[in-house]
């Protein structure tokens, strides 16, 4: 039963037996081969930022300083800031692609359109653009211009932040001197600040880290979500299914993997257009499934079923049923080509910065998006024809899920209970204690944790204690596979207070039953929706975000992006749980600041706990403390 030590996902367990029998290495095997992992790296006390190194600090004795004189605190803080800049750069680059698309839509030379004019107008007004008497392309052009200033401005306060952040927060950040200018300038500055012989002051480095968190939140997450909503439409509740059982042997199976919906939306469009060609090739049609966050994007807006999350990507290929996996950027294991070679299926990379040896590269551009998507889908049909006698093992595992809970969709459901004052039923129930509080579970899988276990165990405990959960990213995938994005989970697992509220809202919204106990809000960039919801709730209750009975959790964080998102959450004043420590434990000063002292400055802090029951207890204790402070 070794496979149950690696994952709680039944489909993944079945596939692991197959890869083991076939002698195909997966992420779990490579993790084992890495043992023991380097203790210096784990503690964050190695530095290779200059050619006099690499240097490492002995946590138990000498040496206490690197060749240049940097001590453990400096090295840990510097490494953390570099990681934060890495995660932030990924989100900001993603946002840039969406902004570039909006700009080109406005000037009329690409095959994308504006699907949500209301969001365009609302966004324009919020960032201070006069919209009266202008057509939507004119407004789009100005919005794109403002967005570009947020990305590349060299002075002043970041526009997207000023437009959206609560005033109380802006004052706190301004006092600390952490309000960012343009994103590119701040990311560049973090790289400079951490280079040899620049900043040695851990406090100053950590404050720069907070600034990266704000860049991530506003120029990454929020900007990407706003522009993607404008181009692809606002998510509305959808039903779908999750897990490898969504693959279908009788269809051409196309898997979209990566992060930016500019590619996946086009591929989906062409899969629908070329159905007949697939049928002519002997298939029953084309079946599209998603992995990682681009999977969340097309789930939220199009109902495309998610096949699996981060740790399952190789296992999807091992089914032998994936005819083509097309990827853009982020969270793509370089091993996917090996696994595909052992089984079946083409791996197609599309971005100039994300190539994988052994994959086919079809460069994707906004100008030729249609031609390229068409080419990719045609290639998937050709690949299907070559499937031949490859054994196909699709685990019969799929769970029904509901997704698409944008803030607008949640308010829409609540307005069925109280049309005049939609937030009132939610807030009244929080005040009355039927809902104890709310927790956002976000982020990745990490091979160091049994796949999905932390997400699922933590959330079961929270909902049993009447905590409403909202989820994004690979956390939402994990919870979906485990049945927690379905109304049955409300009936079977939620505490009585939470169950009663979700039932009342679900019935008023015409679902004929409760809402799920976990509301799927989208991809990792959609964490901005959580920020919007918290801002709205705090505003409605007349308190600050840091006073709300809420928390965030990345139960199985893996990517640098998860650290940047977490830092933004802490900067907002949110108590933020991590199921694994980042590589900072080699500095007591840095660890102590992030898990304790920072609370006095920002109202939020990190809380690290690897046991799901203890983590739930810690989060619930925090929520109860906040309720108490509010007199609830
Ligand atoms: Ni978020 Fe998404 Fe998943 Fe983690 Fe990777 S897919 S952007 S980084 S692993 S949640
Ligand atoms: Fe060593 Fe300092 Fe160079 Fe880092 S910057 S490698 S600690 S000499």
């Amino acid at each position: 039963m070794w496979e149950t030590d690696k994952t709680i996902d039944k489909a993944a367990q079945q596939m692991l037996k197959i890869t083991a029998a076939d002698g195909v290495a997966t992420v779990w095997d490579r993790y084992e081969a890495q043992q023991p992992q380097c203790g210096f790296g784990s503690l964050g006390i190695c530095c290779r930022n200059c050619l006099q190194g690499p240097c490492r600090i002995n946590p138990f004795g000498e040496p206490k300083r690197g060749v240049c004189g940097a001590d453990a605190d400096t090295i840990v803080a510097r490494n953390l800031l570099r990681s934060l800049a890495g995660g932030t750069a990924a989100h900001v680059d993603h946002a840039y692609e969406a902004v570039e698309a909006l700009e080109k839509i406005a000037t009329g030379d690409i095959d994308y359109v504006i699907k949500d004019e209301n969001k365009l107008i609302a966004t324009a007004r919020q960032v201070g653009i006069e919209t009266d008497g202008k057509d939507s392309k004119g407004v789009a052009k100005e919005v794109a211009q403002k967005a570009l200033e947020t990305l590349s401005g060299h002075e002043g306060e970041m526009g997207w932040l000023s437009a959206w952040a609560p005033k109380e927060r802006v004052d706190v950040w301004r006092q600390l001197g952490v309000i960012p200018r343009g994103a590119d300038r701040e990311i560049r500055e973090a790289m400079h600040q951490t280079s040899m012989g620049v900043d040695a002051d851990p406090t100053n480095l950590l404050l720069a880290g907070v600034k990266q968190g704000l860049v991530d939140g506003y120029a990454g997450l929020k900007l990407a979500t706003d522009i993607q909503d404008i181009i692809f439409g606002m998510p509305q509740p959808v039903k779908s299914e999750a897990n490898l059982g969504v693959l279908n042997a009788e269809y051409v199976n196309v898997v979209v993997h990566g992060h930016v919906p500019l590619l996946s939306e086009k591929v989906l469009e062409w899969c629908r257009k070329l159905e007949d060609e697939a049928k002519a090739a002997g298939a029953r049609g084309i079946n599209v499934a998603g992995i990682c966050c681009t999977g969340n994007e097309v789930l939220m807006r199009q109902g495309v079923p998610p096949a699996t999350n981060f740790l399952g990507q190789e296992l999807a290929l091992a089914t032998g049923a994936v005819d083509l996996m097309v990827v853009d950027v982020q969270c793509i294991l370089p091993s996917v080509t090996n696994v595909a070679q052992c089984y079946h299926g083409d791996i197609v990379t599309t971005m100039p910065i994300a190539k994988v040896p052994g994959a086919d590269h079809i460069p994707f551009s906004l100008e030729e998006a249609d031609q390229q998507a068409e080419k990719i889908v045609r290639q998937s049909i050709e690949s299907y024809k070559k499937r031949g006698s490859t054994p196909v093992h699709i685990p019969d595992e799929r769970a029904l899920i509901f997704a698409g809970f944008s803030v607008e969709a949640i308010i829409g459901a609540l307005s069925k209970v109280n049309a005049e004052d939609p937030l009132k039923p939610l807030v009244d129930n929080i005040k009355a204690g039927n809902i104890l509080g709310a927790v956002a579970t976000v982020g990745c899988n990490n091979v160091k944790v049994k796949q999905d276990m932390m997400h699922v165990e933590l959330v079961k405990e929270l909902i049993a204690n009447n905590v409403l959960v909202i989820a994004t990213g690979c956390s939402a995938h994990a919870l979906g596979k485990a049945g927690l994005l379905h109304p049955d989970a409300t009936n079977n697992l939620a505490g009585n207070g939470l169950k009663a509220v979700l039932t009342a809202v679900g019935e008023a919204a015409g679902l004929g039953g409760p809402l799920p106990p976990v509301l799927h809000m989208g991809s990792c960039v959609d964490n901005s929706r959580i920020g919007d919801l918290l801002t709205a709730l705090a505003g409605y209750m007349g308190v600050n975000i840091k006073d709300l009975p809420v928390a965030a959790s990345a139960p199985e964080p893996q990517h640098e992006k998860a650290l940047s998102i977490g830092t933004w959450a802490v900067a907002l004043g949110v108590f933020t749980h991590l199921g694994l420590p980042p590589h900072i434990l080699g500095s007591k000063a840095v660890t102590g600041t992030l898990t304790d002292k920072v609370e006095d400055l920002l109202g939020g802090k990190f809380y690290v706990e690897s046991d799901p029951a203890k983590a739930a207890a810690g989060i619930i204790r925090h929520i109860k403390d906040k309720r108490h402070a509010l007199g609830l």
Side-chain angles (χ1 to χ4, degrees):
M1 292 302 278
W2 54 269
E3 70 281 1
T4 53
D5 293 335
K6 300 189 175 359
T7 174
I8 64 163
D9 172 348
K10 293 220 158 51
Q13 289 170 2
Q14 287 180 40
M15 294 315 302
L16 278 172
K17 285 197 204 160
I18 290 172
T19 53
D22 294 338
V24 175
T26 65
V27 59
W28 286 275
D29 302 307
R30 292 187 299 273
Y31 176 60
E32 254 169 53
Q34 283 290 338
Q35 299 311 312
Q37 284 176 309
C38 174
F40 298 103
S42 303
L43 296 174
I45 45 177
C46 56
C47 178
R48 38 182 293 278
N49 289 7
C50 88
L51 303 187
Q52 301 170 98
C55 301
R56 66 226 194 306
I57 304 304
N58 183 345
F60 309 112
E62 294 298 324
K64 287 259 168 277
R65 288 179 184 270
V67 172
C68 67
D71 64 7
D73 298 334
T74 299
I75 291 175
V76 166
R78 217 160 48 180
N79 288 343
L80 178 64
L81 179 53
R82 278 216 165 177
S83 278
L84 291 169
T88 302
H91 282 142
V92 169
D93 217 24
H94 173 159
Y96 174 76
E97 289 195 36
V99 172
E100 189 187 24
L102 185 69
E103 195 188 23
K104 290 187 175 172
I105 291 171
T107 48
D109 51 7
I110 58 168
D111 292 323
Y112 290 85
V113 295
I114 291 166
K115 283 223 182 102
D116 192 336
E117 302 250 346
N118 293 335
K119 175 93 184 203
L120 173 68
I121 301 297
T123 306
R125 294 208 173 126
Q126 187 85 18
V127 298
I129 294 167
E130 177 61 57
T131 57
D132 290 348
K134 291 180 189 159
D135 68 353
S136 61
K137 285 199 168 178
V139 177
K141 200 169 168 199
E142 288 187 46
V143 169
Q145 212 47 51
K146 277 271 181 203
L148 287 170
E149 282 165 27
T150 276
L151 294 170
S152 59
H154 276 78
E155 51 195 38
E157 297 186 344
M158 174 178 277
W160 232 257
L161 179 149
S162 308
W164 298 100
K167 194 184 164 304
E168 176 267 348
R169 284 290 94 181
V170 175
D171 290 343
V172 169
W173 300 332
R174 201 176 278 143
Q175 277 204 333
L176 289 172
V178 296
I179 298 200
R181 299 155 295 185
D184 292 351
R185 175 156 197 195
E186 300 302 350
I187 294 165
R188 181 217 307 158
E189 191 171 86
M191 294 308 288
H192 178 189
Q193 189 171 357
T194 51
S195 70
M196 192 272 150
V198 185
D199 204 347
D201 178 353
T203 308
N204 204 40
L205 287 158
L206 290 178
L207 284 170
V210 174
K211 200 188 265 189
Q212 290 298 311
L214 295 177
V215 175
D216 193 71
Y218 293 99
L221 314 179
K222 178 70 181 149
L223 184 54
T225 303
D226 287 344
I227 307 295
Q228 288 174 184
D229 281 349
I230 291 170
I231 300 176
F232 298 113
M234 181 67 69
Q236 290 300 330
V238 284
K239 276 190 209 173
S240 190
E241 290 181 317
N243 216 339
L244 291 176
V246 305
L247 299 172
N248 191 322
E250 295 174 358
Y251 285 71
V252 175
N253 290 300
V254 175
V255 165
V256 291
H257 177 15
H259 283 79
V260 187
L262 291 165
L263 170 73
S264 51
E265 285 269 349
K266 275 290 173 206
V267 169
L268 179 62
E269 201 180 312
W270 279 93
C271 284
R272 287 172 180 161
K273 282 187 187 156
L274 297 180
E275 281 269 312
D276 286 344
E277 286 186 28
K279 286 182 184 155
R284 289 180 59 187
I286 305 181
N287 179 39
V288 186
I291 293 183
C292 287
C293 278
T294 215
N296 282 323
E297 297 281 358
V298 285
L299 165 65
M300 292 286 284
R301 297 193 182 86
Q302 308 276 358
V304 169
T308 188
N309 46 0
F310 174 70
L311 279 181
Q313 56 187 287
E314 297 166 303
L315 305 179
L317 294 164
T319 62
V322 174
D323 298 299
L324 185 142
M325 176 187 273
V326 57
V327 307
D328 51 24
V329 286
Q330 303 169 16
C331 299
I332 298 139
L333 295 175
S335 58
V336 285
T337 45
N338 295 334
V339 181
Q341 274 154 17
C342 294
Y343 294 92
H344 163 73
D346 296 350
I347 307 291
V348 175
T349 56
T350 55
M351 301 302 289
I353 61 160
K355 297 186 178 184
V356 181
D360 297 321
H361 189 72
I362 302 182
F364 184 80
S365 66
L366 291 168
E367 285 76 13
E368 291 178 45
D370 277 300
Q371 293 90 311
Q372 287 141 344
E374 182 179 2
K375 193 168 163 193
I376 290 165
V377 178
R378 286 236 159 81
Q379 181 167 335
S380 74
I381 298 170
E382 289 307 309
S383 171
Y384 168 82
K385 290 188 200 160
K386 288 186 272 180
R387 207 192 284 168
S389 58
T390 316
V392 169
H393 298 280
I394 301 175
D396 189 20
E397 296 287 341
R398 61 185 99 62
L400 287 169
I401 60 170
F402 286 59
F405 292 98
S406 54
V407 176
E408 292 77 354
I410 293 173
I411 303 240
L414 289 169
S415 68
K416 299 285 167 33
V417 181
N418 186 336
E420 308 283 285
D421 198 358
L423 282 177
K424 188 168 189 297
L426 181 60
V427 170
D428 283 352
N429 278 296
I430 293 174
K431 286 187 175 161
N434 297 325
I435 297 177
L436 191 68
V439 171
T441 68
V442 308
C444 326
N445 289 139
N446 181 320
V447 70
K448 293 178 177 174
V449 184
K450 192 190 291 189
Q451 184 190 11
D452 297 350
M453 182 280 289
M454 270 300 281
H455 294 289
V456 172
E457 294 303 315
L458 173 69
V459 167
K460 281 187 177 164
E461 197 67 30
L462 292 173
I463 61 177
N465 283 283
N466 297 309
V467 174
L468 177 66
V469 174
I470 47 190
T472 59
C474 288
S475 184
H477 284 267
L479 300 169
K481 291 187 286 177
L484 291 163
L485 300 183
H486 191 274
D488 284 352
T490 307
N491 289 325
N492 300 332
L493 299 169
N496 288 332
L498 180 63
K499 192 192 297 183
V501 178
L502 292 172
T503 304
V505 179
E507 280 175 355
L511 292 179
L515 285 174
V518 179
L519 302 178
H520 188 340
M521 291 192 93
S523 65
C524 282
V525 296
D526 289 330
N527 283 321
S528 65
R529 301 188 197 279
I530 297 169
D532 292 347
L533 189 60
L534 293 178
T535 304
L537 265 183
Y540 186 90
M541 292 173 73
V543 300
N544 297 320
I545 291 178
K546 66 182 167 61
D547 302 318
L548 291 172
V550 300
S553 170
E556 305 175 14
Q558 163 267 131
H559 205 281
E560 289 174 331
K561 291 177 287 174
L563 296 179
S564 333
I565 296 170
T567 305
W568 171 61
V570 169
L572 275 177
V574 177
F575 180 86
T576 301
H577 164 249
L578 300 174
L580 282 169
H583 300 316
I584 60 168
L585 299 184
S587 164
K588 281 207 181 78
V590 170
T591 307
T593 302
L594 295 180
T595 57
D596 180 19
K597 278 201 211 136
V598 69
E599 196 174 19
D600 294 336
L601 298 177
L602 291 169
K605 66 175 177 181
F606 284 105
Y607 162 59
V608 180
E609 175 54 63
S610 307
D611 177 278
K614 285 188 192 152
I619 290 170
I620 289 169
R621 200 179 318 121
H622 165 80
I623 287 176
K624 286 185 172 161
D625 286 348
K626 290 292 169 181
R627 292 185 64 90
H628 187 74
L630 285 172
L632 300 178

